[in-house]
Amino acid sequence: MRTLDFLGLDEKKVQNVVNGLSGLLADLQVYYTNLRGFHWNVSGRNFYIMHQKYEEFYNDAAEKIDEVAERMLQLGGVPESRFSEYLKVSDIKEVAGIGCGGEARDMLLGWLKSLIEKERKVLALATEAGDDVTVSLMSDYLKGQEKAVWMLVAYSKRHGQDSGSCGCGNK
């Protein structure tokens, strides 16, 4: 007995969704770890605000990681759990030594762009498979991440960091 036997979804189409979710899971895992590094190491102007924001971002990522893995299991997939494997397939690369707020912000925006692109692909695959639950999950992720991008861009402009300034006294 399999869960997929009761969901009324085409197994071949669902496999494409599972594959997309697998790539998203890898991206989210590396994203999460990078955010922890920012939370611990970024200093300078706006430290207090961004320290809290990075924590919000990585807590959100942790929740998404669990949801994606569980959705994969519901669809008959097996989520990867080895970081070494995530690093092989993730479009988001691990970073270290980032201590400057402006550089971290730019990287964060790039990662959000990458996640948004991947989630749109998974959403399209799920739509094709008639997988309304995954469609809803991806739509929710996109809604939150698009708002986060808007807020980060607006915050950067408000605090004079839109000109490429590092935000920690360096250019």
Side-chain angles (χ1 to χ4, degrees):
M1 184 178 324
R2 302 173 316 151
T3 304
L4 196 55
D5 294 336
F6 300 92
L7 301 183
L9 298 171
D10 181 284
E11 191 167 351
K12 287 184 181 185
K13 290 181 181 179
V14 165
Q15 187 57 51
N16 292 330
V17 176
V18 169
N19 292 342
L21 288 170
S22 182
L24 178 60
L25 179 63
D27 284 351
L28 286 167
Q29 288 281 22
V30 177
Y31 171 71
Y32 169 86
T33 300
N34 287 343
L35 288 168
R36 293 300 299 242
F38 286 0
H39 177 75
W40 296 328
N41 297 308
V42 171
S43 60
R45 189 175 11 168
N46 304 314
F47 164 77
Y48 187 75
I49 292 167
M50 291 313 296
H51 184 77
Q52 291 176 332
K53 264 313 190 199
Y54 295 134
E55 186 171 359
E56 288 176 27
F57 278 115
Y58 72 66
N59 285 334
D60 178 66
E63 188 174 319
K64 286 178 170 74
I65 287 165
D66 194 54
E67 290 172 341
V68 168
E70 288 179 356
R71 187 62 188 153
M72 289 176 66
L73 289 164
Q74 292 166 21
L75 296 174
V78 178
E80 181 59 64
S81 61
R82 294 170 294 170
F83 210 80
S84 59
E85 293 301 312
Y86 297 141
L87 291 173
K88 290 177 187 176
V89 299
S90 178
D91 291 329
I92 296 175
K93 302 305 174 196
E94 67 179 349
V95 297
I98 305 298
C100 176
E103 186 178 7
R105 176 209 59 230
D106 292 347
M107 292 183 110
L108 176 55
L109 284 166
W111 297 333
L112 287 168
K113 180 180 180 181
S114 182
L115 289 170
I116 287 167
E117 288 171 356
K118 189 159 283 180
E119 289 158 359
R120 287 189 197 291
K121 289 177 186 174
V122 172
L123 188 142
L125 292 168
T127 298
E128 184 179 321
D131 177 4
D132 298 328
V133 173
T134 303
V135 167
S136 176
L137 195 61
M138 293 302 108
S139 292
D140 289 347
Y141 291 0
L142 289 165
K143 178 182 177 184
Q145 289 164 338
E146 287 183 5
K147 184 173 183 177
V149 167
W150 167 65
M151 294 181 99
L152 282 167
V153 169
Y155 179 79
S156 297
K157 289 179 181 178
R158 169 96 167 96
H159 288 80
Q161 295 180 15
D162 198 32
S163 62
S165 170
C166 178
C168 56
N170 301 328
K171 289 273 181 185

